[in-house]
Amino acid sequence: MGPVPAGVLQLTALIGALALAYVPLGTYMARVYSSRAHLRVEKWIYKGIGADPDTEMTWSAYLRGILAFSVAGVLFLYLLQRLQGVLPGSLGFSSVNPAQSFNTAVSFVTNTNWQSYYGEQTMGHVVQTAGLAVQNFVSAAVGMAVAVALVRGFARSRTGALGNFWSDLVRGTVRILVPAAALAAVVLVACGAVQNFSGIHEVGQFMGGSQQWNGGAVASQEAIKELGTNGGGYFNANSAHPFENPTAVSNLLEIFLILVIPFSLTRTFGVMVGSVRQGYAILATMATIWLGFTALMMWTEFAHHGPALQAAGGAMEGKEVRFGVGGSSIFAVATTLTSTGAVDSFHSSFTGLGGGITMLSMMLGEIAPGGTGSGLYGMLIMAVIAVFIAGLMVGRTPEYLGKKIGGREMKLAACYILITPALVLVFTAASMALPTPPHSMLNSGAHGFSEVLYAFTSAANNNGSAFAGLNANTDWFNTMTGLAMLLGRFLPMVFVLALAGSLAGQQPVPVTAGTLRTEKPLFTGLLVGAILIITGLTYFPALALGPLAEGLA
């Protein structure tokens, strides 16, 4: 079988697996967030943190809970890294320096998992498991909680209550992420992923000499890294490393884990608002963009220009032979269209247009299907904007799911879509204007600019992947990407929760003959067009200076 049919077969198998999981997982998650009962272990957690899970919260109280929890997480993870040198299981590694500790703490708490360090040479077992792995669970659960709060805003009326953050956080972790990650870890171990707490070993090399390697709880961290769309790898090579991703089968499983919760949350949305067809409309929008980008990426990477690429069956530079062009292309699109950031190939070595696709995937706002929770609430914000555009076209007040989209709602939605591009472009411009980037960039010209643009696109969108041609382990990049991650994570949440509170307080509007049917294919097409046009107009000048200039050269 040739490389192209093999890639298509992998994509077909992936779609089939996602389709099988969609209804049961999506319905189960809706029941989790709608249930009034608490498990015994959950009651213990509530008692330990002093929270009342049955108290309803306004949007501002919900936000305060998120911020308090996240600040505590940043401080704990920062101190854990700074004290690593005196902790057991440190593998002899010293404490992490202040700038990198700040960057890493912010990175994992914001679900970005950007890494400016070599994991196997920097972090010991305690920091990896008690610090980074824990944040992989809870940061994903925070994103899901915000998405559920927005869904409740659409589902409820004449109330300012959006649920209870502590209850949503604990339930998402205990009932969804932990059991699913445990099952996935067992499968990854069966595929050959490493799971131990071994020390450093001297390993011989094929060409002579030796290299030092340490083990770790790799499979379990790999499972939640993908399932929670986190992306932080145990090793510097991330999911290209054979200890994390041994075979083509494990590669396909990891892509499935990245996509399964974000796609299934559209079913959760449909069930909770009382119309599964609304969920199917959002799913169709996400799937259309994902499939389109995947097909475009496979085409650019399989294109044969010259005898070397013809002999290799595609652009194999920077890609693992065990995954091939097809598996690497599917992974690259999945990880950048979500907030995962894991990589099984060297994005800097993709074709010029292929690298541009990975950047544009993040620039869309990572909503197709997006991160765990963040993808759904980002797509619902875009749906609000699409409804508003449709209302302007026909000259009537826009409505979505029985809620009027007025001036307040549109201001909040506009702030949401503007904040991330502003962060990306301002931080990129500041970095290029200073003398630091030329010393950090391994390439000059359009590709060098793409490296910096990619870094801040990844940070502000809470993705975490890198072009890998940029040395980001400097005080400037550690600090600036850290700020971009913080602002890119929590400022949008402010606007999402404020919008949810505004919607929840409204009186439902009855459906009339003039109401836009948002569950129809026409609305799906409008939503796809709005997403692509808004993103294209925002980022096109920057893309023209980097990947487009390189690809067309």
Side-chain angles (χ1 to χ4, degrees):
M1 181 180 294
V4 177
V8 174
L9 184 61
Q10 291 180 63
L11 182 60
T12 302
L14 176 62
I15 293 172
L18 291 170
L20 289 174
Y22 177 75
V23 172
L25 179 58
T27 303
Y28 171 71
M29 289 192 291
R31 291 174 179 169
V32 166
Y33 289 112
S34 301
S35 172
R36 303 297 298 177
H38 306 294
L39 301 179
R40 179 176 298 179
V41 65
E42 293 171 351
K43 293 179 181 178
W44 294 342
I45 295 173
Y46 298 138
K47 186 176 181 180
I49 62 177
D52 181 0
D54 297 315
T55 300
E56 288 284 334
M57 293 181 171
T58 62
W59 76 266
S60 56
Y62 205 98
L63 177 63
R64 287 196 298 271
I66 291 173
L67 295 179
F69 179 75
S70 299
V71 167
V74 170
L75 292 175
F76 174 77
L77 192 50
Y78 177 85
L79 291 174
L80 202 63
Q81 294 174 84
R82 298 292 293 138
L83 295 173
Q84 176 175 250
V86 298
L87 293 175
S90 64
L91 300 178
F93 298 145
S94 61
S95 300
V96 184
N97 70 66
Q100 196 165 68
S101 293
F102 165 74
N103 184 279
T104 304
V106 168
S107 176
F108 278 77
V109 170
T110 58
N111 198 239
T112 310
N113 302 79
W114 168 274
Q115 294 173 290
S116 60
Y117 59 88
Y118 295 94
E120 65 270 36
Q121 298 177 15
T122 307
M123 302 297 183
H125 292 322
V126 173
V127 175
Q128 290 274 21
T129 54
L132 307 185
V134 169
Q135 288 302 323
N136 281 351
F137 282 97
V138 295
S139 65
V142 167
M144 295 168 70
V146 174
V148 169
L150 180 58
V151 172
R152 291 192 185 115
F154 284 110
R156 295 179 176 183
S157 60
R158 291 174 291 182
T159 177
L162 298 176
N164 185 284
F165 166 69
W166 304 108
S167 175
D168 292 337
L169 172 72
V170 171
R171 288 182 180 187
T173 304
V174 172
R175 302 192 196 183
I176 300 172
L177 295 174
V178 168
L183 177 61
V186 172
V187 177
L188 284 172
V189 170
C191 290
V194 171
Q195 181 75 7
N196 57 47
F197 287 102
S198 68
I200 297 176
H201 298 278
E202 198 81 16
V203 181
Q205 297 177 321
F206 288 114
M207 303 300 292
S210 63
Q211 189 173 3
Q212 290 186 334
W213 283 108
N214 58 279
V218 179
S220 57
Q221 185 157 323
E222 191 75 9
I224 188 55
K225 151 189 156 180
E226 312 294 17
L227 189 68
T229 59
N230 296 285
Y234 214 98
F235 301 98
N236 183 53
N238 207 273
S239 290
H241 198 290
F243 286 3
E244 292 193 21
N245 193 4
T247 67
V249 174
S250 66
N251 189 62
L252 201 59
L253 170 63
E254 291 185 13
I255 300 173
F256 170 80
L257 293 175
I258 291 171
L259 298 172
V260 66
I261 289 181
F263 271 131
S264 298
L265 276 172
T266 62
R267 171 76 179 187
T268 305
F269 161 69
V271 172
M272 292 183 70
V273 299
S275 174
V276 293
R277 296 180 67 184
Q278 296 287 348
Y280 286 132
I282 298 299
L283 172 67
T285 304
M286 292 178 171
T288 298
I289 297 174
W290 172 63
L291 286 171
F293 274 52
T294 302
L296 190 60
M297 177 65 85
M298 293 178 73
W299 175 75
T300 61
E301 297 304 302
F302 274 122
H304 304 313
H305 300 295
L309 293 180
Q310 290 178 359
M316 278 299 296
E317 180 186 345
K319 300 179 178 69
E320 288 293 319
V321 175
R322 63 186 188 277
F323 306 144
V325 174
S328 299
S329 298
I330 298 170
F331 199 112
V333 173
T335 196
T336 50
L337 271 176
T338 63
S339 64
T340 310
V343 292
D344 74 344
S345 54
F346 198 64
H347 286 187
S348 185
S349 293
F350 276 47
T351 61
L353 294 178
I357 292 170
T358 60
M359 266 189 275
L360 183 59
S361 296
M362 294 184 290
M363 290 170 177
L364 289 181
E366 296 177 317
I367 53 178
T372 47
S374 60
L376 178 61
Y377 66 68
M379 181 60 80
L380 291 178
I381 294 289
M382 294 305 303
V384 167
I385 294 173
V387 166
F388 182 76
I389 294 172
L392 293 177
M393 294 170 66
V394 299
R396 62 170 285 127
T397 303
E399 303 161 8
Y400 186 51
L401 299 177
K403 301 298 177 70
K404 285 189 175 184
I405 308 302
R408 173 180 169 80
E409 288 76 22
M410 276 308 301
K411 289 175 184 176
L412 292 170
C415 288
Y416 176 91
I417 65 171
L418 289 174
I419 186 62
T420 305
L423 292 172
V424 172
L425 299 177
V426 168
F427 278 115
T428 300
S431 295
M432 294 303 297
L434 295 174
T436 299
H439 300 293
S440 295
M441 298 186 308
L442 299 183
N443 300 277
S444 59
H447 195 83
F449 173 76
S450 294
E451 292 171 356
V452 179
L453 177 63
Y454 191 106
F456 285 107
T457 301
S458 177
N461 284 281
N462 301 130
N463 182 273
S465 65
F467 238 31
L470 179 74
N471 174 24
N473 189 17
T474 65
D475 287 346
W476 169 262
F477 279 108
N478 277 328
T479 304
M480 292 301 105
T481 55
L483 291 175
M485 288 184 278
L486 274 176
L487 297 174
R489 175 69 164 178
F490 296 113
L491 283 181
M493 284 185 178
V494 173
F495 304 125
V496 170
L497 291 173
L499 177 62
S502 178
L503 295 171
Q506 289 190 26
Q507 172 77 23
V509 179
V511 176
T512 66
T515 300
L516 176 66
R517 301 295 297 273
T518 53
E519 78 280 11
K520 297 291 186 179
L522 178 63
F523 178 72
T524 297
L526 174 66
L527 183 52
V528 171
I531 292 168
L532 296 178
I533 291 172
I534 291 172
T535 303
L537 292 175
T538 303
Y539 286 106
F540 183 78
L543 290 171
L545 293 173
L548 288 178
E550 181 185 0
L552 296 175

